[in-house]
Amino acid sequence: MSIEVSPEEFEDLVDAGLRRIPRELLRNVNNVAIVTEDRHPEDPHILGLYEGISLTERTSEYTSVMPDKITIYRLALADFVDTQEELVEQVAVTVIHELGHHFGIDDATLHNLGWA
């Protein structure tokens, strides 16, 4: 089953997911663009994707680079859930999961922490 959600509504859900993250932690999010798209072009089942260099991998040579990018996939998430409430929760989980990668947390650790 797929939930219908407009691009505008979906962006609001992503913003709500970001608001669940403590401000102290968000202050450490550095040089990251968060965008929404309908689906990943190669794998339509991917819910979110972090592309960049995590904070734990950055060195003193990390200057004048393009922002890291977190993409949250609207239609993939809408297909993944059965209810509007599940969509709200899964969007938040996906946003937090991808931000975890920015901080250098791997998939296994994020899964163990419940952000799968």
Side-chain angles (χ1 to χ4, degrees):
M1 181 174 180
S2 182
I3 302 299
E4 288 195 31
V5 59
S6 73
E8 295 80 16
E9 291 171 315
F10 190 71
E11 287 186 16
D12 290 342
L13 292 178
V14 171
D15 289 342
L18 286 169
R19 285 192 299 273
R20 289 180 61 176
I21 300 168
R23 289 179 193 241
E24 299 79 28
L25 190 58
L26 278 178
R27 282 189 213 127
N28 294 305
V29 174
N30 190 350
N31 202 30
V32 178
I34 300 174
V35 300
T36 61
E37 293 181 11
D38 286 343
R39 292 194 189 277
H40 187 276
E42 296 172 16
D43 185 345
H45 303 292
I46 291 177
L47 305 179
L49 181 65
Y50 171 77
E51 299 171 279
I53 300 171
S54 67
L55 293 178
T56 57
E57 300 293 320
R58 294 180 185 181
T59 67
S60 60
E61 296 174 10
Y62 183 84
T63 59
S64 302
V65 297
M66 294 296 292
D68 292 359
K69 181 179 174 185
I70 291 175
T71 307
I72 308 298
Y73 296 104
R74 178 176 67 94
L75 296 178
L77 279 156
D79 288 347
F80 187 74
V81 299
D82 294 320
T83 67
Q84 189 74 23
E85 294 77 23
E86 288 177 5
L87 179 62
V88 170
E89 181 63 22
Q90 191 58 54
V91 167
V93 166
T94 303
V95 168
I96 292 167
H97 178 102
E98 299 308 329
L99 270 175
H101 290 314
H102 172 69
F103 288 103
I105 304 171
D106 63 22
D107 277 327
T109 303
L110 287 165
H111 285 258
N112 288 338
L113 293 170
W115 300 110

